[in-house]
Amino acid sequence: NYLVYNSLDEDINGKLQEFISAWFTFFDKDRFEEKTIIIGTPNESEKKSPVGKSCTRERQSFVFRINNRILRLIDASGICDTDGVLQDEKNFEDILDYISQFDYLNGICILIKSNEERLHILFRFYIKQLLRHLHVHVKENIMFIFTNARATSFQSGPSASFFRTLLQSLKDQSITEVPFSKENSFLFDNEAFRFLALCKHGIEFNLEKKSKDYSRSWDYSIREFSHLISRIIQCDKHATRDTLSLNEAQQLIRKLSRPIDEIATLTQENLQLAEQH
């Protein structure tokens, strides 16, 4: 919608773009009832799931044209799935398998709500796992996207502070060094899209007043999106073979660990038998 329409008012009078299915609940205070608003058509890749379970069940890609450029967005499953570590590991493998068909990536976006008050241990673990799957050369292509930005008045919220601390600790442990600055951090808010979805579903508002309220979020998000695309264009392309080779090496090491342990055990047993004789 941000790509197709220049303003919120223009989108209100146009057709809602529904590339990815989505849903949210809305409480109608006049009727004192809760409604579920569904956008698009759910499928096996993207469908409504219980709280805590990733709605994106498998990666998808969407292609857009921006002026003379082609933009491909790859939508991947989230982390900290309620199905546990094995499901997250499967999601990582699914992503790696999918990107293997491309020669390079321009950017990797990590999304988190801007108003998260704490990053729990499991989340920190998964961020480390994510970075472990990525080649060191991709660090300049990593972008941090903070959503729900209106909740923090379109300023860096508590999530940014926690991320800064986490990345600094990774650097101190010599695990990896990922830049985290104004240049690769972006703030978005999707409330304008929700407002549009409510309008398209026949929810009545004082359009003049509400449109003015939500136009700020719309305009800000468009500016941030432009900055994000500009930043990605400036980055060097990351050759996917580097990340894929890294993960193949890690898998090989994991596969070799068991036979190496068995060989070491057998060697020790043979030495003990030799000493007895």
Side-chain angles (χ1 to χ4, degrees), residues 57-191:
R57 305 312 299 163
E58 60 182 32
R59 73 288 175 280
Q60 306 176 81
S61 67
F62 305 89
V63 179
F64 307 90
R65 178 176 290 277
I66 303 179
N67 298 325
N68 62 338
R69 295 179 182 272
I70 299 296
L71 171 66
R72 178 184 295 274
L73 293 178
I74 301 175
D75 181 28
S77 301
I79 60 175
C80 296
D81 196 296
T82 53
D83 283 347
V85 177
L86 292 179
Q87 181 61 48
D88 282 308
E89 190 65 31
K90 181 180 178 181
N91 291 341
F92 280 132
E93 293 175 0
D94 183 53
I95 295 170
L96 292 172
D97 178 64
Y98 186 72
I99 66 173
S100 64
Q101 63 183 294
F102 304 107
D103 293 330
Y104 61 86
L105 296 175
N106 296 92
I108 296 175
C109 298
I110 298 176
L111 281 71
I112 185 174
K113 289 183 178 179
S114 61
N115 57 345
E116 289 286 354
E117 292 294 336
R118 56 183 297 183
L119 299 182
H120 51 76
I121 294 175
L122 190 59
F123 181 85
R124 294 198 294 269
F125 167 75
Y126 280 120
I127 289 296
K128 292 179 181 179
Q129 286 292 95
L130 172 63
L131 296 176
R132 182 178 65 81
H133 281 80
L134 300 175
H135 193 275
V136 65
H137 292 160
V138 80
K139 63 182 182 180
E140 297 295 337
N141 300 79
I142 294 178
M143 313 292 158
F144 296 95
I145 311 296
F146 295 97
T147 61
N148 292 65
R150 188 174 183 181
T152 56
S153 300
F154 296 96
Q155 301 292 327
S156 297
S159 299
S161 299
F162 288 118
F163 247 117
R164 186 175 291 105
T165 301
L166 173 60
L167 295 175
Q168 183 62 46
S169 69
L170 294 178
K171 178 182 177 181
D172 294 341
Q173 297 169 32
S174 300
I175 296 176
T176 187
E177 181 179 357
V178 179
F180 182 64
S181 65
K182 182 179 179 180
E183 283 67 34
N184 70 338
S185 302
F186 306 89
L187 293 160
F188 287 89
D189 196 287
N190 215 27
E191 63 175 1

Side-chain angles (χ1 to χ4, degrees), residues 8 34 96 242 267:
L8 179 60
E34 188 177 85
L96 292 172
D242 292 341
T267 301

Side-chain angles (χ1 to χ4, degrees), residues 9 26 39 45 49 57 81 102 123 131 165 200 207 211:
D9 290 336
F26 167 74
I39 304 108
S45 297
S49 301
R57 305 312 299 163
D81 196 296
F102 304 107
F123 181 85
L131 296 176
T165 301
K200 301 301 181 181
L207 283 182
S211 177

Side-chain angles (χ1 to χ4, degrees), residues 20-31:
I20 303 176
S21 60
W23 43 87
F24 61 91
T25 56
F26 167 74
F27 188 80
D28 189 333
K29 63 180 181 180
D30 294 328
R31 298 183 179 180

Side-chain angles (χ1 to χ4, degrees), residues 198-216:
L198 291 172
C199 291
K200 301 301 181 181
H201 280 75
I203 307 298
E204 296 183 357
F205 293 101
N206 181 332
L207 283 182
E208 183 177 352
K209 181 178 183 300
K210 288 293 184 181
S211 177
K212 185 177 180 180
D213 290 341
Y214 290 115
S215 286
R216 183 191 177 203

